[in-house]
Amino acid sequence: MQEFFNQILGEEIGPFGPVIVMGALGLVLILSALVILLNKRRDPFDKLRENTARGGATPKGDKLRTNKSGPDKLEKYSAFLEPQDEEEYSAAQLKLIQAGYRGKNAVRMYHFAQFALGLGLMAVGLVLVLIKQASQEVTTMMMMMHILLPGTIGYMAPKYWVTRRVEARKEEITNGFPDSLDMMLVCVEAGQSLDQSIIRVAKEIRAGFPALADEFEIVSYEIKAGKDKINVLRDMAERAGVPDVASFVTVLIQSQTFGTSIAEALRVYAGEMRDKRVMRAEEKANTLPTKMTLATMMLTVPPLLIILIGPSVYDIYTLLSTTEF
C-alpha cells in the first residue's frame, strides 16, 4: 500500500511528492491546533476571579467600559499571545516602552506580529517550493531552506525592529539631554520651579528631540496627578534606559532629600554632561582613521598594483605565448 501511494504521488507531483504531502499535512495540523487553542473557551471561575479582583464589577459594567474604550479583537487570544510569567511580561513591556510603544496592548500586538509574519512567510515559502517543484527537481535541503528560512526571518523581524528602535531612541535621548539640562538650568535660575521648568523644556525641545520631550511630558503629567516625585523620576530613568538620565535622577533625588540647591546641582551636572558630549565626539573622531584604513587599502592598493604590475604581466604573457618550446 505504501509503495502504491508513493508511486501515485511520485507520478503526480514528483520524486518528493510524499515529502511535500507530509509537510503540508503537518502544517495543516499545526494550524488546526492553533485555531483550537485560540478559540478555547474561558473557564467561568477565571471570569469570577477577575470580577472579584476588580471589586465585584458586574458583567454589565465591564461591557460599558469596553464600549467606551473600543473592543480589542485580540483580547480573547491574550492567554496565547502574552507571556503568563509576570517578570517576562514586565521585561517585554519595558522594552517596548523604551522603543516608544506605550499602548496597553503593545506586548500582545508584538507577539501577534511575530506569529503572523512567521506563519505568513512560511506559507509563501511553501508556495514557492510547490511552484519550483513543477518545473525542476528540488532537493530536501533546498525545500527546508525555502520554507524554514522565510519563517525564521518573519518571526525575528519584529524583534530586530524593536531593538533598533530602542537603540535609536536611546541615542536621541543621549544627544539631547545636555541641551535640555542647560535649558532647565536657565528656567530654574529665572525663578521657575522644577515642575514648571520640566514643562517648559518639554515644549522647547520637541522639535529636535521628540523622544526626550515625551519623557519630560510624562513626568509633568504624573506629578500633576499627585504621584510621588521621587517615584516619577525613577520611572523616567527606567523608561529611558540611559545612564545619563539615571545619574541625573539620582542627583535630583539627593538634592531634594538633603535640601540642597537644585540650581547648583543642575549647574554642576549640566557642565559634566557638556564635557561628556565633547568626549564622545572626540572618541568618534579618533576612531575614524582606524575605520578608514581598511577602506583606503581596498580602494587604493588594487588599482595601484594594476597600474604598476599590469604592463609587466601583459608583456610576460605575450612573450610566453609567442615563444615556442
Side-chain angles (χ1 to χ4, degrees):
M1 183 66 68
Q2 183 177 0
E3 294 179 356
F4 176 72
F5 280 109
N6 290 337
Q7 184 179 1
I8 294 177
L9 293 175
E11 292 177 356
E12 295 294 333
I13 302 177
F16 292 98
V19 178
I20 296 175
V21 172
M22 291 299 293
L25 289 176
L27 183 60
V28 170
L29 291 175
I30 292 173
L31 294 177
S32 302
L34 289 176
V35 171
I36 293 173
L37 290 175
L38 293 177
N39 292 331
K40 183 179 178 181
R41 295 184 61 185
R42 295 184 61 189
D43 190 356
F45 287 102
D46 293 337
K47 296 181 180 180
L48 181 61
R49 294 191 193 96
E50 292 180 1
N51 293 333
T52 305
R54 286 196 295 263
T58 60
K60 184 177 180 181
D62 293 343
K63 185 176 180 181
L64 291 175
R65 282 195 294 273
T66 304
N67 290 335
K68 288 181 180 180
S69 60
D72 183 12
K73 297 180 180 180
L74 298 177
E75 186 176 0
K76 59 182 179 180
Y77 307 136
S78 60
F80 176 74
L81 295 176
E82 292 180 355
Q84 300 302 312
D85 188 12
E86 186 176 355
E87 294 183 358
E88 186 178 355
Y89 181 84
S90 300
Q93 188 178 28
L94 178 60
K95 187 174 182 179
L96 291 173
I97 289 175
Q98 291 178 352
Y101 303 107
R102 297 188 179 87
K104 63 179 182 179
N105 300 327
V107 179
R108 192 180 305 164
M109 291 299 298
Y110 170 71
H111 288 93
F112 173 75
Q114 282 188 317
F115 284 108
L117 288 176
L119 294 177
L121 292 182
M122 188 179 296
V124 171
L126 180 60
V127 172
L128 292 177
V129 168
L130 294 177
I131 294 174
K132 188 176 290 186
Q133 181 72 28
S135 60
Q136 62 182 3
E137 184 179 356
V138 180
T139 62
T140 306
M141 182 62 67
M142 187 180 297
M143 185 186 306
M144 297 298 291
M145 292 294 293
H146 279 77
I147 296 176
L148 295 181
L149 186 60
T152 304
I153 293 175
Y155 184 80
M156 297 301 295
K159 185 176 181 180
Y160 175 75
W161 171 259
V162 170
T163 304
R164 291 294 302 271
R165 285 276 300 172
V166 170
E167 296 299 328
R169 196 165 180 272
K170 286 183 179 180
E171 185 178 359
E172 179 183 342
I173 292 175
T174 303
N175 293 333
F177 196 61
D179 296 334
S180 65
L181 288 182
D182 292 335
M183 192 177 301
M184 191 178 299
L185 176 61
V186 172
C187 294
V188 171
E189 289 183 342
Q192 291 184 342
S193 64
L194 182 62
D195 302 344
Q196 294 173 341
S197 62
I198 289 175
I199 297 173
R200 182 68 177 181
V201 169
K203 292 180 180 179
E204 294 294 334
I205 66 173
R206 176 163 295 279
F209 308 100
L212 186 58
D214 291 338
E215 295 297 334
F216 281 129
E217 276 193 354
I218 293 174
V219 170
S220 63
Y221 291 151
E222 289 182 346
I223 292 176
K224 286 181 180 178
K227 193 174 180 180
D228 185 36
K229 187 181 294 184
I230 294 177
N231 294 330
V232 169
L233 294 174
R234 287 176 178 170
D235 292 341
M236 175 186 174
E238 187 177 7
R239 288 193 308 268
V242 178
D244 296 342
V245 179
S247 302
F248 167 70
V249 168
T250 303
V251 169
L252 290 184
I253 292 175
Q254 290 178 352
S255 177
Q256 184 177 357
T257 302
F258 297 107
T260 58
S261 175
I262 295 179
E264 186 64 26
L266 285 174
R267 185 181 296 106
V268 174
Y269 194 75
E272 292 180 359
M273 288 296 100
R274 286 193 299 270
D275 295 339
K276 195 172 182 179
R277 181 169 60 181
V278 173
M279 291 174 62
R280 284 196 298 265
E282 292 178 351
E283 182 181 357
K284 290 183 179 180
N286 292 331
T287 57
L288 186 61
T290 306
K291 295 179 180 178
M292 292 180 62
T293 301
L294 183 60
T296 303
M297 293 178 61
M298 293 179 62
L299 298 176
T300 305
V301 175
L304 185 61
L305 292 176
I306 292 174
I307 294 172
L308 295 177
I309 306 177
S312 302
V313 174
Y314 178 75
D315 292 340
I316 294 173
Y317 175 75
T318 306
L319 180 62
L320 293 175
S321 61
T322 55
T323 302
E324 295 182 358
F325 294 96

